[in-house]
Amino acid sequence: MMSRRAFTATLAAGAAASLLSTRGMAATQAPTKARNVVLVHGLFADGSCWSEVIARLQAAGLNATAVQNPLTTLPEAVASAERVLARQDGPTVLVGHSFSGMIVTDAGMHPNVSALVYVAARAPDADEDYTALAKTYPTPPASAGIVFDGDEGRLSEQAFLRDFAGDLPEAKAKVLYAVQQPFHKALLAGKTTHAAWRSKPSYYAVSTEDRTINPDLERFMAKRMGAKTIEVKASHLALISHPDEITQLILEAAGQRS
């Protein structure tokens, strides 16, 4: 007869194996071939930040749609992505940059979503306190550049040019600064209720020169989810400064390349 200690050890080992299996699913599960891509922007931006990637996806024959994230509350932001996902006519790759990784993690449970792509993005677990997780790594410089007008936050011009879009030509970065959309404080208090990366193929692009999210935090989140990961020598805006690499990762998630 198995002793209580041996039974407990066996049970713990089984639970650990189950957890590892769930985490590894994203890395081992092949993506479904998809021709739809939905892209979500994060803080300090709007849907136009995906223009360089969208043009390349369209040239490859894919249907691409950028969500205009309201940046009000997390539930409202998730709902905005879900409405766009519901309009897709088949398997869809859901892509998020920066803060919108929170949205991708939750909205990624939508049945149309076949794979997830994170671009220098938050990738929390269900009900995880992302702020607490981020504090376990050195604070990135951009955080000091956030300014508030009442309940609306934005990035100062100096922080935007230096810490957010540091590898873009200054003239281009200034245009992006001019169209940044302010976010509501309530948005930062939200927690994801699901972690779609636990059950769907996931891909992650780490920005090695990122001054908005710590690159080591990005690496941790990518490894934890078992994502197929690439590293891009880029600022936080790899989707603009390195659109070819980001597009290729999306195409791989869509089963359009080996």
Side-chain angles (χ1 to χ4, degrees):
M1 180 180 294
M2 183 181 292
S3 69
R4 178 176 294 180
R5 179 177 295 178
F7 175 77
T8 301
T10 301
L11 188 64
S18 176
L19 179 60
L20 289 171
S21 175
T22 301
R23 287 180 177 176
M25 190 179 299
T28 58
Q29 186 177 349
T32 300
K33 194 162 187 178
R35 291 202 170 275
N36 300 310
V37 179
V38 169
L39 308 116
V40 193
H41 70 84
L43 307 185
F44 323 124
D46 66 6
S48 67
C49 67
W50 288 107
S51 296
E52 296 287 342
V53 170
I54 288 171
R56 287 162 172 78
L57 292 172
Q58 290 175 338
L62 274 69
N63 170 45
T65 306
V67 176
Q68 293 296 351
N69 177 0
L71 299 178
T72 49
T73 67
L74 184 59
E76 289 173 350
V78 170
S80 70
E82 289 175 335
R83 286 192 294 271
V84 176
L85 288 168
R87 297 201 299 265
Q88 307 309 304
D89 60 359
T92 302
V93 176
L94 180 59
V95 187
H97 172 244
S98 191
F99 177 87
S100 73
M102 303 274 290
I103 301 168
V104 166
T105 297
D106 229 331
M109 297 301 296
H110 193 283
N112 281 346
V113 175
S114 56
L116 313 170
V117 178
Y118 294 80
V119 180
R122 299 185 180 198
D125 205 345
D127 297 316
E128 182 172 44
D129 185 339
Y130 176 84
T131 300
L133 172 64
K135 285 181 179 178
T136 63
Y137 291 82
T139 302
S143 299
I146 299 175
V147 293
F148 284 94
D149 299 313
D151 286 334
E152 288 191 339
R154 56 187 173 81
L155 207 54
S156 70
E157 183 172 13
Q158 182 182 33
F160 193 102
L161 300 182
R162 181 189 60 205
D163 302 324
F164 189 68
D167 61 346
L168 296 181
E170 184 174 334
K172 188 167 188 175
K174 283 187 173 182
V175 171
L176 294 169
Y177 168 75
V179 301
Q180 73 165 305
Q181 183 179 350
F183 67 91
H184 292 210
K185 280 183 178 179
L187 181 68
L188 303 182
K191 290 183 180 181
T192 55
T193 55
H194 303 92
W197 50 261
R198 285 192 173 276
S199 59
K200 297 192 179 184
S202 300
Y203 299 75
Y204 200 109
V206 173
S207 284
T208 64
E209 310 300 310
D210 205 324
R211 293 169 61 86
T212 301
I213 295 179
N214 188 298
D216 285 334
L217 174 56
E218 294 177 14
R219 293 183 180 103
F220 165 79
M221 292 184 290
K223 183 177 180 180
R224 179 176 64 172
M225 72 170 70
K228 164 65 184 294
T229 304
I230 64 170
E231 297 211 354
V232 184
K233 189 176 182 181
S235 71
H236 195 56
L237 292 181
L239 67 169
I240 299 174
S241 63
H242 291 73
D244 289 332
E245 291 95 320
I246 302 306
T247 300
Q248 288 303 311
L249 187 64
I250 295 170
L251 291 174
E252 184 173 348
Q256 300 289 340
R257 60 185 292 265
S258 58

